[in-house]
Amino acid sequence: MSTNVQDIHEDHHHAPSGLMRWITTTNHKDIGSLYLWFSLLMFFIGGFMALIIRAELFEPGLQLVIPGFFNQMTTMHALIMIFGAVMPAFVGLANWQIPIMIGAPDMALPRLNNWSFWILPFAFTMLLSTLFFDSGGPAAGWTLYPPLSLQGGNSMPFVILSIHLLGISSILGAINVIATILNMRAPGMTLMKMPIFIWTWLITAFLLIAAMPVLAGAITMLLTDRFFGTSFFTASGGGDPVMFQHIFWFFGHPEVYILILPAFGIVSTIIPAFSRKKLFGYDSMVYATASIALLSFIVWAHHMFTVGMPLAGEIFFMLTTMLIAVPTGVKVFNWVATMWRGSMTFETPMLFALAFIILFTIGGFSGLMLAMTPADFQYHDTYFVVAHFHYVLVPGAVFAIIAAVYYWLPKWTGKMYSESLGKLHFWLTTVFVNVTFFPMHFVGLAGMPRRIPDYPVQFADFNAIASVGAFGFGLSQLLFVYILYNTLKKDVTAEDKVWDGAEGLEWTLSSPPPYHSFEKAPRVE
Amino acid sequence: MKKIIYLLALILPTQILADWEVNMPRGVTPTSEIAYDIHMLMFWITVVIGILVFGVMVYSIIYHRKSVGYQPAKFHESTRVEIVWTVIPFLILVVCAIPATKALIMMEDTSDAGITLKVTGYQWMWEYEYLEDGVNFFSKIDNKSNNARRLNSGKDVNDVEHYLRNVDNEVVLPTDTKVRLLLTASDVIHAWWVPELGGKKDAIPGYVNEMWINIKEPGVYRGACAELCGKDHGFMPIVVRAVPKLEYDKWVSLRKDNRVAESQNIGR
Ligand code: HEM
Ligand SMILES: [Cu+2]
Ligand SMILES: [Cu+2]
């Protein structure tokens, strides 16, 4: 991990320098940077695993790995990307942005902040180390369904402990976000005047606090089933394997919104800035976000339509899931209305935000199709589902993160990235993301199950295309690293208000902002 | 646009288009047909919504840009529009929910079945028990596929007939008969799925799940396990041979007399 990025900030408090500075830091910008660099590292580790998966699936037959290892790769790829790449990136953005967007000097709980970051490297070292065990890493899928997950080797307690640590880290981060937003806003900034990114993070933080303990409960029961003779989930002991799925998805569905709500906030910030027009329907955006969050607790069983629920249950979960498409649609309509009769320019952050709207919506469309239970009996556990969630997560969550980095990087560093390289990065990424994931809709509909290391020959063509796309996508991200490197070695030249259409307190600070963001609280009218 | 054309030009000649299966099969059972119809209904609805929304967006991107000198408007809220685009999607969804709910009720009605087939999932094969007819056997991936699929097997899987889609013992079922399937598993969760016969259902230890199929056309239908069940999850195919009722009865009696080899010629 790089330690030489932010040392341009002078420290007035005789803090340690070098490595110790980063280990002991309680500064929201330092911690934000740590989170973001950590996330980038995990993105590449998880991406490497994805490329192993796609290399094996390039053509039918097994060429590279044995099935057991393939399953470890799918399991680890998902855990790393969700808990290591996307969630820490959002927490990093929260750390950097919340204080400077609400006019605060720092986060409310700086030491807690340090701790919640430094849990992560230990948790992921432990998680990744299981790959080197004789019995290998976890291989039952990121959903950890018993009884299969109970068959795992020695990795299981390590995986569970590391997920516990990740949960603790997330909950601490969420507490900090809530405490900061509720207590440290500049005078005059009422709740309904908060920047929309702050709103989405506030709601996300509540989702985290509600959902993570549920996951903790589920995996603790797995642990006691395996080692302490309980049988919560083993049928032979009177337990119920389906109960695990209910508990898991009661966490899991809010979790997918944890992965997308901050992305909504980012896009709702960037689109107005480059349309030079205020966000359309601010109030309805807030209400839509809140209703998505509330609804997300009553739709969980749409992930398990095939377990044989009672008819009434299937109908209930089908209808509530369809309902969640309404506020999601409202968000998309508001974005389009923001652009309508704006005065748009297309810098890199805007390009990523526009691609987000189109491609996320395509993921929303397949979500709506998946919500229809009779059709889901066909879609479930096929590549169609894989296509769906990659569309909402990659050109969804990940594009929003990249857009946010391009948007705020000049503010954070005082240095402007190369616009032409940024655009090249955008076009490569967007083309390859579609080459990778669009064909997955087709093979899924044609009958290819997910989580298989080998497949019948009739699926060969689309799989080959997807694999080519995946390698293109992965390589394109090296360009992103180069752009970051290239920017950081420049001189500080960026203006305070980097984008002429941008609004918000962060643009009133210098670029880069002072070490303690707002020493004196600004007034918001 | 040019890029896409070049890409297509590269790909297209390598394969006849007909081989590129891109959609859900309509299948040969009432349940697979209704799933297909709802799938297509939703698909076209999303296509229309997509064209409208993206159309407005693209129009705006083309005409409302700074480089053509467009000045930004000042409006930024309208309760009326918000209500409109909350209520209209809601109504569209109500229209979708009605046929979907009806379909679901039909799909879950397993009453009045002609025969009952009990399916048990194992790591990594299936057991089939014909409860009324007293026939009972295991079914697992055929040897040709099983040998070719090993890492470094040295065999070209393209030369294997029905690679990963063939079994040693096929399930034989009568056409035009409501067949009730009872699904369970002995070790971990599996899912029994033949796309052309309709959706899948999980086979779960400690549970007996139900589903039904009624095959309208004789033929061979292939599927696979659809729930991750361990290292050989990708290698537990399903083959159903649907034959007219008379032939099915003949198959049952041959099976009962243990004339397995002979029974395997039925319907070929
Ligand atoms: C319009 C909104 C959405 C609807 C109606 C929807 C619906 C669904 C349904 C029904 C499934 C289960 C499919 C199956 O397994 O058979 C599913 C899976 C999934 N969705 Fe969505 N979804 C929506 C948006 C999102 C968003 C915003 C995210 C995350 C950013 C997301 C992430 C996922 C993931 C990760 C899975 C698969 C989990 C797994 O089985 O491993 N979805 N979605
Ligand atoms: Cu969900
Ligand atoms: Cu399986």
Side-chain angles (χ1 to χ4, degrees):
Chain A
M1 188 154 319
S2 170
T3 52
N4 60 356
V5 235
Q6 298 297 332
D7 21 8
I8 34 153
H9 301 300
E10 66 258 78
D11 189 353
H12 317 284
H13 294 282
H14 311 286
S17 56
L19 189 61
M20 279 314 279
R21 167 188 168 189
W22 296 99
I23 293 176
T24 60
T25 183
T26 55
N27 179 278
H28 75 98
K29 301 193 191 73
D30 287 354
I31 295 173
S33 303
L34 285 172
Y35 266 112
L36 288 168
W37 285 114
F38 181 80
S39 155
L40 189 64
L41 177 70
M42 287 295 135
F43 187 54
F44 278 97
I45 295 177
F48 182 71
M49 292 171 178
L51 293 187
I52 295 178
I53 295 170
R54 282 315 324 170
E56 179 54 64
L57 293 175
F58 178 68
E59 54 179 11
L62 291 178
Q63 291 85 24
L64 300 171
V65 298
I66 55 170
F69 185 73
F70 183 92
N71 291 346
Q72 293 174 33
M73 285 295 102
T74 53
T75 306
M76 280 291 211
H77 162 72
L79 289 172
I80 301 260
M81 286 305 199
I82 293 172
F83 293 102
V86 176
M87 289 170 74
F90 283 138
V91 182
L93 292 170
N95 259 297
W96 255 106
Q97 289 308 125
I98 290 176
I100 65 178
M101 289 174 99
I102 65 172
D106 203 308
M107 296 292 279
L109 309 165
R111 290 178 188 222
L112 192 79
N113 206 4
N114 173 292
W115 189 33
S116 54
F117 172 76
W118 279 107
I119 288 175
L120 292 182
F122 295 96
F124 280 99
T125 308
M126 181 150 58
L127 184 63
L128 285 167
S129 71
T130 60
L131 286 174
F132 302 98
F133 288 10
D134 285 342
S135 54
W142 81 281
T143 49
L144 303 170
Y145 282 6
L148 184 62
S149 59
L150 296 171
Q151 290 182 345
N154 295 332
S155 67
M156 184 190 182
F158 295 87
V159 172
I160 287 180
L161 185 57
S162 61
I163 296 177
H164 272 310
L165 289 174
L166 301 175
I168 292 171
S169 163
S170 297
I171 291 171
L172 297 181
I175 291 173
N176 206 351
V177 165
I178 294 175
T180 309
I181 295 177
L182 293 186
N183 295 306
M184 297 181 62
R185 294 193 310 279
M189 185 181 278
T190 58
L191 284 178
M192 289 312 274
K193 278 190 191 161
M194 294 197 305
I196 195 81
F197 177 71
I198 304 295
W199 255 118
T200 53
W201 237 116
L202 181 65
I203 293 170
T204 305
F206 279 104
L207 284 182
L208 276 167
I209 288 183
M212 296 308 288
V214 179
L215 174 65
I219 58 177
T220 306
M221 285 188 264
L222 276 185
L223 194 72
T224 62
D225 268 11
R226 170 80 185 269
F227 294 105
F228 302 107
T230 59
S231 30
F232 291 109
F233 306 132
T234 32
S236 52
D240 181 352
V242 176
M243 186 171 70
F244 176 87
Q245 300 188 17
H246 282 292
I247 304 174
F248 181 88
W249 288 114
F250 189 81
F251 145 80
H253 190 82
E255 169 68 21
V256 309
Y257 283 98
I258 290 166
L259 300 171
I260 205 67
L261 292 187
F264 287 169
I266 292 165
V267 172
S268 307
T269 310
I270 291 177
I271 295 287
F274 295 95
S275 304
R276 289 166 186 75
K277 189 160 154 281
K278 269 177 91 167
L279 178 66
F280 188 84
Y282 171 94
D283 293 12
S284 91
M285 285 301 228
V286 172
Y287 301 141
T289 312
S291 35
I292 290 174
L294 288 176
L295 280 174
S296 76
F297 284 104
I298 55 164
V299 299
W300 75 88
H302 64 216
H303 294 275
M304 34 192 295
F305 281 138
T306 62
V307 298
M309 271 181 286
L311 178 63
E314 288 178 344
I315 294 176
F316 173 81
F317 286 108
M318 173 172 77
L319 297 182
T320 52
T321 304
M322 292 170 74
L323 208 55
I324 217 167
V326 174
T328 312
V330 168
K331 303 217 105 190
V332 175
F333 302 144
N334 277 320
W335 289 323
V336 175
T338 305
M339 289 185 260
W340 185 252
R341 298 185 49 208
S343 175
M344 279 189 267
T345 51
F346 304 92
E347 287 85 348
T348 311
M350 180 66 162
L351 290 175
F352 275 102
L354 291 174
F356 172 99
I357 297 181
I358 293 184
L359 300 176
F360 171 82
T361 303
I362 291 177
F365 286 155
S366 55
L368 191 57
M369 297 168 79
L370 289 162
M372 313 303 287
T373 315
D376 183 71
F377 291 149
Q378 290 281 18
Y379 307 134
H380 179 66
D381 264 329
T382 67
Y383 261 83
F384 190 76
V385 178
V386 178
H388 159 68
F389 65 72
H390 282 93
Y391 261 84
V392 284
L393 283 172
V394 184
V398 173
F399 270 32
I401 292 166
I402 297 176
V405 170
Y406 280 115
Y407 183 62
W408 282 309
L409 190 65
K411 169 55 60 188
W412 298 338
T413 61
K415 302 166 183 186
M416 195 62 198
Y417 64 87
S418 154
E419 195 59 66
S420 49
L421 286 181
K423 287 197 170 122
L424 179 66
H425 176 221
F426 166 77
W427 285 110
L428 288 173
T429 304
T430 303
V431 168
F432 282 124
V433 97
N434 287 295
V435 176
T436 310
F437 297 117
F438 210 83
M440 293 185 185
H441 291 111
F442 301 145
V443 281
L445 291 175
M448 178 166 163
R450 65 193 279 205
R451 293 170 166 167
I452 54 174
D454 190 6
Y455 49 83
V457 292
Q458 87 249 38
F459 304 129
D461 302 309
F462 285 126
N463 272 290
I465 296 176
S467 290
V468 170
F471 276 85
F473 181 84
L475 291 176
S476 307
Q477 302 322 307
L478 296 177
L479 177 60
F480 184 48
V481 176
Y482 174 75
I483 292 172
L484 293 176
Y485 165 78
N486 187 39
T487 312
L488 291 173
K489 72 176 211 281
K490 287 183 182 166
D491 293 331
V492 173
T493 54
E495 294 162 34
D496 294 353
K497 196 167 189 304
V498 180
W499 313 109
D500 64 306
E503 275 185 40
L505 290 176
E506 74 263 42
W507 307 108
T508 65
L509 290 171
S510 59
S511 301
Y515 197 63
H516 299 289
S517 304
F518 283 94
E519 306 249 16
K520 248 196 6 250
R523 265 213 77 83
V524 177
E525 296 317 320
Chain B
M1 199 56 220
K2 254 195 190 141
K3 261 187 217 148
I4 300 174
I5 293 171
Y6 285 143
L7 215 100
L8 284 180
L10 269 177
I11 296 164
L12 282 184
T14 60
Q15 198 83 26
I16 319 145
L17 257 172
D19 277 339
W20 296 67
E21 201 61 69
V22 294
N23 202 0
M24 185 190 285
R26 185 142 200 275
V28 291
T29 65
T31 48
S32 73
E33 283 167 6
I34 198 93
Y36 175 85
D37 291 346
I38 288 179
H39 159 69
M40 290 316 285
L41 171 74
M42 297 310 291
F43 173 72
W44 286 116
I45 288 178
T46 58
V47 166
V48 171
I49 300 177
I51 289 175
L52 290 176
V53 175
F54 300 153
V56 174
M57 195 172 148
V58 168
Y59 180 91
S60 178
I61 289 175
I62 293 173
Y63 293 102
H64 304 154
R65 49 166 76 211
K66 197 178 170 199
S67 56
V68 298
Y70 200 88
Q71 290 300 312
K74 287 273 176 278
F75 67 88
H76 62 87
E77 60 189 348
S78 158
T79 312
R80 200 167 351 126
V81 205
E82 300 288 349
I83 292 175
V84 167
W85 63 41
T86 308
V87 171
I88 293 179
F90 182 81
L91 293 179
I92 296 176
L93 290 180
V94 171
V95 171
C96 304
I98 293 167
T101 307
K102 278 194 193 141
L104 206 50
I105 293 170
M106 182 273 259
M107 287 169 128
E108 294 294 339
D109 177 12
T110 51
S111 58
D112 302 321
I115 64 169
T116 307
L117 176 67
K118 183 173 173 219
V119 182
T120 309
Y122 293 80
Q123 283 172 316
W124 289 273
M125 58 188 162
W126 300 98
E127 184 187 9
Y128 296 100
E129 293 165 76
Y130 293 71
L131 295 188
E132 288 87 358
D133 298 321
V135 175
N136 179 356
F137 57 88
F138 285 90
S139 170
K140 60 177 194 312
I141 189 169
D142 74 330
N143 282 331
K144 274 194 215 135
S145 292
N146 204 29
N147 292 333
R149 64 118 170 158
R150 308 272 163 196
L151 192 60
N152 307 321
S153 68
K155 298 211 175 71
D156 184 353
V157 299
N158 291 299
D159 300 339
V160 180
E161 202 189 357
H162 300 304
Y163 177 60
L164 299 187
R165 280 160 65 81
N166 221 4
V167 295
D168 53 1
N169 287 308
E170 297 166 345
V171 184
V172 175
L173 288 176
T175 52
D176 293 314
T177 308
K178 186 165 180 178
V179 181
R180 188 164 69 126
L181 295 169
L182 300 179
L183 300 124
T184 187
S186 83
D187 34 43
V188 301
I189 304 175
H190 305 264
W192 197 85
W193 183 38
V194 181
E196 283 164 305
L197 304 187
K200 55 188 76 65
K201 200 98 197 198
D202 290 354
I204 305 171
Y207 274 72
V208 179
N209 271 336
E210 279 186 306
M211 71 186 265
W212 66 275
I213 54 183
N214 191 342
I215 307 171
K216 295 297 176 198
E217 275 173 43
V220 179
Y221 304 105
R222 296 172 197 278
C225 177
E227 175 67 48
L228 178 61
C229 56
K231 74 179 169 60
D232 285 350
H233 163 55
F235 309 100
M236 47 188 293
I238 299 161
V239 180
V240 174
R241 180 178 296 276
V243 296
K245 189 89 177 88
L246 279 176
E247 287 191 54
Y248 170 75
D249 291 337
K250 206 157 91 197
W251 177 81
V252 169
S253 58
L254 287 171
R255 267 283 174 176
K256 275 195 171 146
D257 298 347
N258 247 333
R259 287 147 69 187
V260 176
E262 236 172 293
S263 79
Q264 283 175 343
N265 288 328
I266 297 282
R268 279 178 204 258

